[in-house]
Amino acid sequence: MYFYVVLLVVLHGNGHVSSISRSNMAADLDVVNLFVIAGGTLAIPILAFLASFLLWPSVLIKVYYWYWRRTLGLQVRYADCGGYRFCYSYRGKPGFRPTILMLHGFSAHKDTWLTVVKYLPKHLHIVCVDMPGHEGTTRTNTDDYSIQGQVRRIHQFVETIHLNRKPFHLVGTAMGGNVGGVYAACYPSELCSMTLICPDGIRHPCETKFDNHLQDLEHSNYSLSIPLIPTTPEEMEDMFRLCSHVRFRIPQQILQGLVDVRLPHNTFYEEVFMEIVSEKSRYALQEHLHLITAPLQVIWGKQDQVVDVSGASVIAELLPGCRVDLLDNCGHSVVMEKPCRTARLILEFIILQQNARGGTKKSS
């Protein structure tokens, strides 16, 4: 009986009690609604991430690069010249230190440099360009993708954005190093200094694992798959093992995403590969070394399985004044394996050369 009395009082009794109860119930509902909304808000990006990871990993990779560029303060721009369009990212403005132009390697893109840019001072003017035919830069069937052809295109880019108003520092890795070295030989007045990272284009005395692959390819008349142009997640993993001494644990879905991003471009990559291993381009850097006058820094991973580290001694012999920095426990992918160390070495060299030209002794 007592229970019913209390219930009647709550439902029909004192108005003050009733209004308090209704207020409490409304407050409880508001709290529940708040949690539902918050949960839904959090669930949407989590579900989107999981869906991208499982179903569209290539989309996730593109978003990742976009986010990283924004975080580092890099902006993407396009430069048009005579119907040809270059895509590049940049940060900072020309200042006391020279501008740094960065050239990536074969089948890569401007975002290759994000790991290094992260460790460079934000006030430096940095330009990372997509090499001819790569990523956002124009690709044509009639273009010359030999090393010399790419040098001409990069010079076109430099002139289009007026980068050569004052001498700049050029950084190139792998194929980009080959292009960069030949660029320095052809346009010596435009550079104040240069860094080459594991550059192609040198007759290195010691053979590498990749050299053996290349010999097999030549014997098969290039009917075998090219190790640097993967078509499956397994081949992508093999390429990472070949290019990197550090063993990165990469989920299968991300490997698949990386393959999906590259697959539409593989025919083009094959074309470029055939150009840069041809007689015309294979040793282009070594053939132009005697024409390089800009102060040169060479950075090389001691465990490089693509371009042997003995190439550094070849360059040092032909250019005795160059600085050589060899990195322990590092393979061909120097910018990915040792980004902090690479950034520090590049900056030290730029400051050293600037001081040698009579610049300030102030540290950056």
Side-chain angles (χ1 to χ4, degrees):
M1 180 65 72
Y2 177 77
F3 169 78
Y4 291 110
V5 170
V6 172
L7 184 60
L8 287 169
V9 169
V10 171
L11 294 176
H12 305 293
N14 187 289
H16 177 66
V17 175
S18 178
S19 63
I20 291 175
S21 300
R22 285 196 296 270
S23 298
N24 289 340
M25 289 175 64
D28 289 343
L29 284 173
D30 288 341
V31 171
V32 171
N33 288 335
L34 182 63
F35 276 110
V36 170
I37 293 170
T41 305
L42 289 172
I44 290 171
I46 291 171
L47 289 172
F49 173 82
L50 290 173
S52 298
F53 181 76
L54 296 172
L55 302 175
W56 308 289
S58 59
V59 174
L60 187 63
I61 290 167
K62 291 178 181 179
V63 171
Y64 169 76
Y65 282 129
W66 170 83
Y67 176 77
W68 203 358
R69 283 196 302 269
R70 282 183 61 89
T71 301
L72 296 178
L74 285 158
Q75 300 182 56
V76 175
R77 290 290 183 271
Y78 294 90
D80 295 292
C81 181
Y84 195 89
R85 168 172 281 196
F86 296 94
C87 180
Y88 66 100
S89 60
Y90 79 96
R91 186 176 77 182
K93 295 180 180 179
F96 175 70
R97 300 292 181 202
T99 292
I100 302 176
L101 173 62
M102 312 186 95
L103 308 180
H104 64 74
F106 168 73
S107 76
H109 46 74
K110 59 187 175 295
D111 294 329
T112 297
W113 296 107
L114 291 175
T115 51
V116 174
V117 171
K118 176 183 177 181
Y119 296 103
L120 289 172
K122 289 190 176 181
H123 66 268
L124 288 179
H125 184 218
I126 298 169
V127 178
C128 308
V129 64
D130 283 327
M131 296 295 280
H134 289 69
E135 195 74 7
T137 293
T138 296
R139 179 182 302 172
T140 68
N141 294 326
T142 57
D143 220 9
D144 179 6
Y145 294 108
S146 67
I147 296 301
Q148 292 83 349
Q150 293 192 59
V151 167
R152 286 190 289 272
R153 281 298 188 192
I154 294 301
H155 185 246
Q156 183 183 20
F157 168 71
V158 166
E159 289 192 315
T160 300
I161 67 169
H162 309 295
L163 202 63
N164 52 356
R165 285 178 176 171
K166 56 186 291 190
F168 57 91
H169 182 84
L170 181 61
V171 181
T173 184
M175 180 190 77
N178 198 348
V179 172
V182 177
Y183 188 101
C186 295
Y187 307 101
S189 63
E190 297 188 356
L191 303 187
C192 61
S193 49
M194 176 173 59
T195 300
L196 300 182
I197 304 172
C198 302
D200 296 343
I202 298 293
R203 289 185 178 88
H204 42 271
C206 303
E207 286 191 348
T208 64
K209 189 175 180 179
F210 179 72
D211 289 326
N212 296 330
H213 282 302
L214 197 55
Q215 290 170 13
D216 292 340
L217 279 169
E218 290 170 344
H219 293 151
S220 71
N221 199 24
Y222 294 94
S223 61
L224 297 174
S225 62
I226 300 171
L228 300 180
I229 308 179
T231 58
T232 66
E234 292 73 26
E235 289 180 356
M236 177 64 72
E237 196 167 22
D238 289 340
M239 188 185 78
F240 277 118
R241 289 199 190 98
L242 176 68
C243 295
S244 174
H245 177 71
V246 177
R247 292 293 176 253
F248 297 99
R249 291 185 177 181
I250 305 174
Q252 190 74 8
Q253 287 297 324
I254 297 300
L255 290 171
Q256 182 63 60
L258 291 169
V259 171
D260 292 343
V261 169
R262 294 170 62 98
L263 272 178
H265 311 287
N266 276 358
T267 301
F268 165 72
Y269 293 152
E270 288 171 6
E271 178 186 346
V272 176
F273 181 82
M274 296 304 294
E275 284 282 1
I276 63 178
V277 300
S278 68
E279 187 177 345
K280 179 182 179 182
S281 296
R282 184 175 293 191
Y283 304 117
L285 174 57
Q286 186 158 345
E287 291 163 0
H288 288 79
L289 279 176
H290 67 286
L291 298 173
I292 295 176
T293 57
L296 172 62
Q297 174 187 42
V298 175
I299 302 176
W300 220 301
K302 287 185 178 180
Q303 285 73 37
D304 193 334
Q305 297 184 87
V306 178
V307 186
D308 193 74
V309 66
S310 58
S313 60
V314 173
I315 296 174
E317 197 172 309
L318 293 171
L319 295 173
C322 83
R323 167 175 167 172
V324 176
D325 293 297
L326 304 182
L327 307 184
D328 293 316
N329 301 314
C330 184
H332 188 64
S333 301
V334 171
V335 298
M336 183 172 69
E337 297 178 71
K338 303 286 183 181
C340 182
R341 175 84 171 132
T342 301
R344 188 165 72 249
L345 288 172
I346 291 172
L347 187 60
E348 283 176 1
F349 183 70
I350 289 173
I351 294 172
L352 181 67
Q353 295 307 315
Q354 195 169 28
N355 289 343
R357 290 191 300 271
T360 181
K361 297 292 182 180
K362 286 175 64 178
S363 62
S364 183

